[in-house]
Amino acid sequence: MKKMPNFIVVGAAKSGTTSLYKYITQHEDVFVPKGKELRFFSNMTGDYQGPGDERSCNRRIINNVEDYKRLFEDRQEKALGDMSTEYLYYHEESIKNIKKHTDEDVKIFIILRNPVERAYSHYLHMVRDGREDLSFEEAVEKEEERKIKTGRGTGAIQQMVFIMNR
């Protein structure tokens, strides 16, 4: 039987998941595939049309279980991990697939951040990467329209709204 992760980090975007990834992968007994954000358990389709999606998230989605398992085969580390922020936002699919594909003793860590600070940080990230040209206020106003049009919005606000509606 091929190995699967024995821990999963689920976190809000801009909440420190990249820093955590950099810290824990320095340990000799920890393996997380390079780049994190595998998105396997979320069942994302990879056909998103938001600003910059074609060069970012659409290229880095693993949909095939055998491709996913290959990332962990022959690994000798004690802790095998997967870290994807989308597991929080696509939680219904992610929970179902984590239960289906991993052992029942898989550890799940969730990282959160103040949703308003997180949303603004995400907005600045999108501006820096050339994926957002609206003001923050305009981006907030357009978020619902973008979600309908693209299926996911820009993330600047959608994730804040998700947390605040729970």
Side-chain angles (χ1 to χ4, degrees):
M1 183 168 144
K2 291 188 178 181
K3 293 181 182 180
M4 291 294 272
N6 52 23
F7 78 91
I8 296 170
V9 177
V10 177
K14 311 309 293 175
S15 66
T17 57
T18 299
S19 293
L20 179 61
Y21 168 80
K22 289 177 181 177
Y23 299 139
I24 65 173
T25 56
Q26 292 176 32
H27 195 285
E28 63 187 28
D29 286 332
V30 177
F31 171 75
V32 178
K34 187 173 181 156
K36 64 181 189 69
E37 303 294 347
L38 303 173
R39 301 175 171 97
F40 171 72
F41 296 113
S42 63
N43 269 357
M44 292 174 68
T45 58
D47 59 355
Y48 299 103
Q49 300 172 16
D53 283 346
E54 69 283 345
R55 66 178 193 269
S56 62
C57 78
N58 286 344
R59 291 190 329 193
R60 297 187 329 220
I61 297 175
I62 296 177
N63 289 317
N64 179 293
V65 68
E66 292 306 315
D67 291 341
Y68 184 75
K69 287 179 179 180
R70 268 192 284 284
L71 296 169
F72 301 97
E73 69 184 5
D74 301 324
R75 301 307 308 194
Q76 301 304 312
E77 294 86 353
K78 294 177 185 174
L80 304 176
D82 182 350
M83 302 175 73
S84 290
T85 58
E86 279 78 10
Y87 298 158
L88 180 64
Y89 309 111
Y90 295 86
H91 63 280
E92 291 176 2
E93 284 294 314
S94 298
I95 291 168
K96 179 179 74 174
N97 288 317
I98 289 168
K99 287 180 177 182
K100 177 180 177 181
H101 293 292
T102 65
D103 292 334
E104 64 183 42
D105 61 346
V106 66
K107 306 293 185 244
I108 299 174
F109 302 91
I110 300 174
I111 302 174
L112 300 174
R113 180 177 179 185
N114 175 299
V116 175
E117 291 174 8
R118 194 227 52 81
Y120 189 66
S121 177
H122 195 127
Y123 165 78
L124 294 175
H125 180 104
M126 299 287 281
V127 169
R128 179 199 72 202
D129 287 356
R131 296 176 62 190
E132 179 63 82
D133 57 3
L134 300 177
S135 71
F136 183 67
E137 292 78 13
E138 292 169 325
V140 170
E141 290 174 11
K142 292 277 188 184
E143 189 66 14
E144 284 303 314
E145 178 183 323
R146 287 173 164 175
K147 281 173 48 180
I148 292 166
K149 182 179 176 186
T150 67
R152 76 183 234 122
T154 64
I157 306 305
Q158 88 179 49
Q159 296 163 355
M160 176 180 73
V161 171
F162 169 82
I163 291 169
M164 292 176 73
N165 285 334
R166 293 290 165 196

PDB file of all heavy atoms in Angstrom, residues 118-141:
ATOM      1  N   ARG A 118      -6.622  39.397   7.389  1.00  0.00           N
ATOM      2  CA  ARG A 118      -6.279  38.391   6.400  1.00  0.00           C
ATOM      3  C   ARG A 118      -6.735  38.810   4.998  1.00  0.00           C
ATOM      4  O   ARG A 118      -6.004  38.691   4.026  1.00  0.00           O
ATOM      5  CB  ARG A 118      -6.896  37.038   6.790  1.00  0.00           C
ATOM      6  CG  ARG A 118      -6.307  35.880   6.003  1.00  0.00           C
ATOM      7  CD  ARG A 118      -7.364  34.934   5.455  1.00  0.00           C
ATOM      8  NE  ARG A 118      -8.415  35.559   4.710  1.00  0.00           N
ATOM      9  CZ  ARG A 118      -8.327  35.927   3.430  1.00  0.00           C
ATOM     10  NH1 ARG A 118      -7.221  35.743   2.755  1.00  0.00           N
ATOM     11  NH2 ARG A 118      -9.338  36.490   2.823  1.00  0.00           N
ATOM     12  N   ALA A 119      -7.946  39.326   4.909  1.00  0.00           N
ATOM     13  CA  ALA A 119      -8.487  39.740   3.617  1.00  0.00           C
ATOM     14  C   ALA A 119      -7.656  40.873   3.012  1.00  0.00           C
ATOM     15  O   ALA A 119      -7.347  40.863   1.817  1.00  0.00           O
ATOM     16  CB  ALA A 119      -9.944  40.174   3.753  1.00  0.00           C
ATOM     17  N   TYR A 120      -7.287  41.839   3.834  1.00  0.00           N
ATOM     18  CA  TYR A 120      -6.490  42.957   3.321  1.00  0.00           C
ATOM     19  C   TYR A 120      -5.087  42.482   2.919  1.00  0.00           C
ATOM     20  O   TYR A 120      -4.561  42.886   1.883  1.00  0.00           O
ATOM     21  CB  TYR A 120      -6.404  44.091   4.342  1.00  0.00           C
ATOM     22  CG  TYR A 120      -5.785  45.339   3.746  1.00  0.00           C
ATOM     23  CD1 TYR A 120      -6.439  46.046   2.739  1.00  0.00           C
ATOM     24  CD2 TYR A 120      -4.545  45.787   4.164  1.00  0.00           C
ATOM     25  CE1 TYR A 120      -5.871  47.175   2.166  1.00  0.00           C
ATOM     26  CE2 TYR A 120      -3.973  46.914   3.599  1.00  0.00           C
ATOM     27  CZ  TYR A 120      -4.631  47.598   2.604  1.00  0.00           C
ATOM     28  OH  TYR A 120      -4.058  48.710   2.028  1.00  0.00           O
ATOM     29  N   SER A 121      -4.503  41.596   3.689  1.00  0.00           N
ATOM     30  CA  SER A 121      -3.198  41.035   3.343  1.00  0.00           C
ATOM     31  C   SER A 121      -3.272  40.273   2.021  1.00  0.00           C
ATOM     32  O   SER A 121      -2.381  40.380   1.174  1.00  0.00           O
ATOM     33  CB  SER A 121      -2.712  40.115   4.470  1.00  0.00           C
ATOM     34  OG  SER A 121      -1.483  39.517   4.131  1.00  0.00           O
ATOM     35  N   HIS A 122      -4.353  39.518   1.851  1.00  0.00           N
ATOM     36  CA  HIS A 122      -4.539  38.775   0.595  1.00  0.00           C
ATOM     37  C   HIS A 122      -4.696  39.746  -0.584  1.00  0.00           C
ATOM     38  O   HIS A 122      -4.140  39.535  -1.655  1.00  0.00           O
ATOM     39  CB  HIS A 122      -5.757  37.860   0.695  1.00  0.00           C
ATOM     40  CG  HIS A 122      -5.811  36.828  -0.376  1.00  0.00           C
ATOM     41  ND1 HIS A 122      -5.948  35.504  -0.107  1.00  0.00           N
ATOM     42  CD2 HIS A 122      -5.729  36.925  -1.717  1.00  0.00           C
ATOM     43  CE1 HIS A 122      -5.961  34.824  -1.242  1.00  0.00           C
ATOM     44  NE2 HIS A 122      -5.831  35.672  -2.228  1.00  0.00           N
ATOM     45  N   TYR A 123      -5.449  40.792  -0.360  1.00  0.00           N
ATOM     46  CA  TYR A 123      -5.617  41.814  -1.395  1.00  0.00           C
ATOM     47  C   TYR A 123      -4.251  42.385  -1.800  1.00  0.00           C
ATOM     48  O   TYR A 123      -3.939  42.486  -2.993  1.00  0.00           O
ATOM     49  CB  TYR A 123      -6.542  42.933  -0.881  1.00  0.00           C
ATOM     50  CG  TYR A 123      -6.489  44.180  -1.725  1.00  0.00           C
ATOM     51  CD1 TYR A 123      -7.170  44.241  -2.935  1.00  0.00           C
ATOM     52  CD2 TYR A 123      -5.733  45.284  -1.331  1.00  0.00           C
ATOM     53  CE1 TYR A 123      -7.100  45.383  -3.729  1.00  0.00           C
ATOM     54  CE2 TYR A 123      -5.671  46.420  -2.115  1.00  0.00           C
ATOM     55  CZ  TYR A 123      -6.351  46.464  -3.316  1.00  0.00           C
ATOM     56  OH  TYR A 123      -6.272  47.582  -4.109  1.00  0.00           O
ATOM     57  N   LEU A 124      -3.424  42.740  -0.830  1.00  0.00           N
ATOM     58  CA  LEU A 124      -2.087  43.282  -1.138  1.00  0.00           C
ATOM     59  C   LEU A 124      -1.234  42.266  -1.888  1.00  0.00           C
ATOM     60  O   LEU A 124      -0.475  42.623  -2.796  1.00  0.00           O
ATOM     61  CB  LEU A 124      -1.381  43.734   0.143  1.00  0.00           C
ATOM     62  CG  LEU A 124      -2.015  44.919   0.867  1.00  0.00           C
ATOM     63  CD1 LEU A 124      -1.284  45.186   2.178  1.00  0.00           C
ATOM     64  CD2 LEU A 124      -2.042  46.163  -0.013  1.00  0.00           C
ATOM     65  N   HIS A 125      -1.370  40.999  -1.533  1.00  0.00           N
ATOM     66  CA  HIS A 125      -0.661  39.920  -2.238  1.00  0.00           C
ATOM     67  C   HIS A 125      -1.089  39.874  -3.709  1.00  0.00           C
ATOM     68  O   HIS A 125      -0.250  39.754  -4.608  1.00  0.00           O
ATOM     69  CB  HIS A 125      -0.964  38.590  -1.540  1.00  0.00           C
ATOM     70  CG  HIS A 125      -0.315  37.407  -2.134  1.00  0.00           C
ATOM     71  ND1 HIS A 125       0.780  36.804  -1.570  1.00  0.00           N
ATOM     72  CD2 HIS A 125      -0.597  36.699  -3.246  1.00  0.00           C
ATOM     73  CE1 HIS A 125       1.140  35.775  -2.307  1.00  0.00           C
ATOM     74  NE2 HIS A 125       0.317  35.697  -3.331  1.00  0.00           N
ATOM     75  N   MET A 126      -2.387  39.982  -3.942  1.00  0.00           N
ATOM     76  CA  MET A 126      -2.910  39.959  -5.309  1.00  0.00           C
ATOM     77  C   MET A 126      -2.422  41.166  -6.109  1.00  0.00           C
ATOM     78  O   MET A 126      -2.078  41.052  -7.279  1.00  0.00           O
ATOM     79  CB  MET A 126      -4.439  39.911  -5.293  1.00  0.00           C
ATOM     80  CG  MET A 126      -5.020  38.681  -4.620  1.00  0.00           C
ATOM     81  SD  MET A 126      -4.826  37.197  -5.588  1.00  0.00           S
ATOM     82  CE  MET A 126      -6.144  37.401  -6.750  1.00  0.00           C
ATOM     83  N   VAL A 127      -2.378  42.336  -5.480  1.00  0.00           N
ATOM     84  CA  VAL A 127      -1.874  43.539  -6.141  1.00  0.00           C
ATOM     85  C   VAL A 127      -0.401  43.356  -6.482  1.00  0.00           C
ATOM     86  O   VAL A 127       0.031  43.616  -7.615  1.00  0.00           O
ATOM     87  CB  VAL A 127      -2.091  44.794  -5.251  1.00  0.00           C
ATOM     88  CG1 VAL A 127      -1.341  45.993  -5.802  1.00  0.00           C
ATOM     89  CG2 VAL A 127      -3.580  45.099  -5.122  1.00  0.00           C
ATOM     90  N   ARG A 128       0.385  42.884  -5.521  1.00  0.00           N
ATOM     91  CA  ARG A 128       1.817  42.669  -5.731  1.00  0.00           C
ATOM     92  C   ARG A 128       2.079  41.733  -6.910  1.00  0.00           C
ATOM     93  O   ARG A 128       2.986  41.938  -7.700  1.00  0.00           O
ATOM     94  CB  ARG A 128       2.444  42.075  -4.460  1.00  0.00           C
ATOM     95  CG  ARG A 128       3.933  41.800  -4.584  1.00  0.00           C
ATOM     96  CD  ARG A 128       4.446  40.833  -3.569  1.00  0.00           C
ATOM     97  NE  ARG A 128       3.968  39.498  -3.910  1.00  0.00           N
ATOM     98  CZ  ARG A 128       3.876  38.503  -3.056  1.00  0.00           C
ATOM     99  NH1 ARG A 128       4.197  38.668  -1.794  1.00  0.00           N
ATOM    100  NH2 ARG A 128       3.441  37.322  -3.440  1.00  0.00           N
ATOM    101  N   ASP A 129       1.239  40.691  -7.051  1.00  0.00           N
ATOM    102  CA  ASP A 129       1.427  39.707  -8.121  1.00  0.00           C
ATOM    103  C   ASP A 129       0.778  40.124  -9.435  1.00  0.00           C
ATOM    104  O   ASP A 129       0.764  39.352 -10.390  1.00  0.00           O
ATOM    105  CB  ASP A 129       0.867  38.353  -7.683  1.00  0.00           C
ATOM    106  CG  ASP A 129       1.729  37.673  -6.639  1.00  0.00           C
ATOM    107  OD1 ASP A 129       2.811  38.202  -6.301  1.00  0.00           O
ATOM    108  OD2 ASP A 129       1.319  36.608  -6.147  1.00  0.00           O
ATOM    109  N   GLY A 130       0.215  41.331  -9.485  1.00  0.00           N
ATOM    110  CA  GLY A 130      -0.406  41.806 -10.717  1.00  0.00           C
ATOM    111  C   GLY A 130      -1.729  41.133 -11.023  1.00  0.00           C
ATOM    112  O   GLY A 130      -2.189  41.145 -12.163  1.00  0.00           O
ATOM    113  N   ARG A 131      -2.378  40.572 -10.003  1.00  0.00           N
ATOM    114  CA  ARG A 131      -3.643  39.870 -10.200  1.00  0.00           C
ATOM    115  C   ARG A 131      -4.843  40.694  -9.757  1.00  0.00           C
ATOM    116  O   ARG A 131      -5.973  40.245  -9.841  1.00  0.00           O
ATOM    117  CB  ARG A 131      -3.621  38.544  -9.441  1.00  0.00           C
ATOM    118  CG  ARG A 131      -2.567  37.595  -9.981  1.00  0.00           C
ATOM    119  CD  ARG A 131      -2.467  36.325  -9.172  1.00  0.00           C
ATOM    120  NE  ARG A 131      -3.723  35.590  -9.204  1.00  0.00           N
ATOM    121  CZ  ARG A 131      -3.983  34.550  -8.430  1.00  0.00           C
ATOM    122  NH1 ARG A 131      -3.080  34.137  -7.564  1.00  0.00           N
ATOM    123  NH2 ARG A 131      -5.130  33.926  -8.504  1.00  0.00           N
ATOM    124  N   GLU A 132      -4.598  41.907  -9.272  1.00  0.00           N
ATOM    125  CA  GLU A 132      -5.686  42.785  -8.833  1.00  0.00           C
ATOM    126  C   GLU A 132      -5.322  44.216  -9.172  1.00  0.00           C
ATOM    127  O   GLU A 132      -4.226  44.677  -8.840  1.00  0.00           O
ATOM    128  CB  GLU A 132      -5.903  42.647  -7.327  1.00  0.00           C
ATOM    129  CG  GLU A 132      -6.999  43.535  -6.772  1.00  0.00           C
ATOM    130  CD  GLU A 132      -8.359  43.204  -7.358  1.00  0.00           C
ATOM    131  OE1 GLU A 132      -8.989  42.258  -6.860  1.00  0.00           O
ATOM    132  OE2 GLU A 132      -8.783  43.902  -8.307  1.00  0.00           O
ATOM    133  N   ASP A 133      -6.245  44.915  -9.859  1.00  0.00           N
ATOM    134  CA  ASP A 133      -5.974  46.315 -10.184  1.00  0.00           C
ATOM    135  C   ASP A 133      -7.039  47.251  -9.626  1.00  0.00           C
ATOM    136  O   ASP A 133      -7.005  48.448  -9.864  1.00  0.00           O
ATOM    137  CB  ASP A 133      -5.824  46.508 -11.692  1.00  0.00           C
ATOM    138  CG  ASP A 133      -7.034  46.039 -12.479  1.00  0.00           C
ATOM    139  OD1 ASP A 133      -8.035  45.616 -11.874  1.00  0.00           O
ATOM    140  OD2 ASP A 133      -6.968  46.086 -13.714  1.00  0.00           O
ATOM    141  N   LEU A 134      -7.960  46.706  -8.850  1.00  0.00           N
ATOM    142  CA  LEU A 134      -8.977  47.528  -8.218  1.00  0.00           C
ATOM    143  C   LEU A 134      -8.502  47.983  -6.846  1.00  0.00           C
ATOM    144  O   LEU A 134      -7.623  47.368  -6.250  1.00  0.00           O
ATOM    145  CB  LEU A 134     -10.278  46.733  -8.052  1.00  0.00           C
ATOM    146  CG  LEU A 134     -10.946  46.202  -9.327  1.00  0.00           C
ATOM    147  CD1 LEU A 134     -12.171  45.373  -8.972  1.00  0.00           C
ATOM    148  CD2 LEU A 134     -11.312  47.341 -10.262  1.00  0.00           C
ATOM    149  N   SER A 135      -9.115  49.045  -6.326  1.00  0.00           N
ATOM    150  CA  SER A 135      -8.853  49.429  -4.937  1.00  0.00           C
ATOM    151  C   SER A 135      -9.454  48.351  -4.043  1.00  0.00           C
ATOM    152  O   SER A 135     -10.293  47.543  -4.477  1.00  0.00           O
ATOM    153  CB  SER A 135      -9.505  50.784  -4.624  1.00  0.00           C
ATOM    154  OG  SER A 135     -10.914  50.634  -4.572  1.00  0.00           O
ATOM    155  N   PHE A 136      -9.065  48.339  -2.778  1.00  0.00           N
ATOM    156  CA  PHE A 136      -9.611  47.347  -1.850  1.00  0.00           C
ATOM    157  C   PHE A 136     -11.133  47.465  -1.776  1.00  0.00           C
ATOM    158  O   PHE A 136     -11.849  46.469  -1.824  1.00  0.00           O
ATOM    159  CB  PHE A 136      -8.982  47.509  -0.464  1.00  0.00           C
ATOM    160  CG  PHE A 136      -9.435  46.468   0.524  1.00  0.00           C
ATOM    161  CD1 PHE A 136      -9.082  45.138   0.365  1.00  0.00           C
ATOM    162  CD2 PHE A 136     -10.226  46.820   1.610  1.00  0.00           C
ATOM    163  CE1 PHE A 136      -9.496  44.167   1.270  1.00  0.00           C
ATOM    164  CE2 PHE A 136     -10.642  45.857   2.525  1.00  0.00           C
ATOM    165  CZ  PHE A 136     -10.270  44.539   2.348  1.00  0.00           C
ATOM    166  N   GLU A 137     -11.618  48.699  -1.677  1.00  0.00           N
ATOM    167  CA  GLU A 137     -13.057  48.921  -1.588  1.00  0.00           C
ATOM    168  C   GLU A 137     -13.767  48.405  -2.845  1.00  0.00           C
ATOM    169  O   GLU A 137     -14.827  47.781  -2.752  1.00  0.00           O
ATOM    170  CB  GLU A 137     -13.362  50.416  -1.382  1.00  0.00           C
ATOM    171  CG  GLU A 137     -12.917  50.941  -0.023  1.00  0.00           C
ATOM    172  CD  GLU A 137     -11.402  51.209   0.075  1.00  0.00           C
ATOM    173  OE1 GLU A 137     -10.686  51.228  -0.958  1.00  0.00           O
ATOM    174  OE2 GLU A 137     -10.928  51.370   1.208  1.00  0.00           O
ATOM    175  N   GLU A 138     -13.186  48.664  -4.025  1.00  0.00           N
ATOM    176  CA  GLU A 138     -13.785  48.174  -5.267  1.00  0.00           C
ATOM    177  C   GLU A 138     -13.753  46.650  -5.334  1.00  0.00           C
ATOM    178  O   GLU A 138     -14.702  46.020  -5.806  1.00  0.00           O
ATOM    179  CB  GLU A 138     -13.051  48.763  -6.475  1.00  0.00           C
ATOM    180  CG  GLU A 138     -13.257  50.247  -6.649  1.00  0.00           C
ATOM    181  CD  GLU A 138     -12.308  50.842  -7.683  1.00  0.00           C
ATOM    182  OE1 GLU A 138     -11.147  50.387  -7.796  1.00  0.00           O
ATOM    183  OE2 GLU A 138     -12.747  51.776  -8.384  1.00  0.00           O
ATOM    184  N   ALA A 139     -12.667  46.055  -4.858  1.00  0.00           N
ATOM    185  CA  ALA A 139     -12.559  44.597  -4.846  1.00  0.00           C
ATOM    186  C   ALA A 139     -13.631  43.981  -3.950  1.00  0.00           C
ATOM    187  O   ALA A 139     -14.232  42.959  -4.298  1.00  0.00           O
ATOM    188  CB  ALA A 139     -11.168  44.169  -4.390  1.00  0.00           C
ATOM    189  N   VAL A 140     -13.894  44.610  -2.809  1.00  0.00           N
ATOM    190  CA  VAL A 140     -14.946  44.130  -1.914  1.00  0.00           C
ATOM    191  C   VAL A 140     -16.290  44.175  -2.633  1.00  0.00           C
ATOM    192  O   VAL A 140     -17.064  43.214  -2.602  1.00  0.00           O
ATOM    193  CB  VAL A 140     -14.991  44.977  -0.618  1.00  0.00           C
ATOM    194  CG1 VAL A 140     -16.248  44.649   0.200  1.00  0.00           C
ATOM    195  CG2 VAL A 140     -13.741  44.767   0.209  1.00  0.00           C
ATOM    196  N   GLU A 141     -16.558  45.286  -3.300  1.00  0.00           N
ATOM    197  CA  GLU A 141     -17.834  45.438  -4.008  1.00  0.00           C
ATOM    198  C   GLU A 141     -17.991  44.440  -5.146  1.00  0.00           C
ATOM    199  O   GLU A 141     -19.090  43.982  -5.428  1.00  0.00           O
ATOM    200  CB  GLU A 141     -17.955  46.867  -4.550  1.00  0.00           C
ATOM    201  CG  GLU A 141     -18.143  47.910  -3.473  1.00  0.00           C
ATOM    202  CD  GLU A 141     -18.106  49.338  -4.019  1.00  0.00           C
ATOM    203  OE1 GLU A 141     -18.140  49.517  -5.250  1.00  0.00           O
ATOM    204  OE2 GLU A 141     -18.037  50.265  -3.193  1.00  0.00           O
TER     205      GLU A 141
END
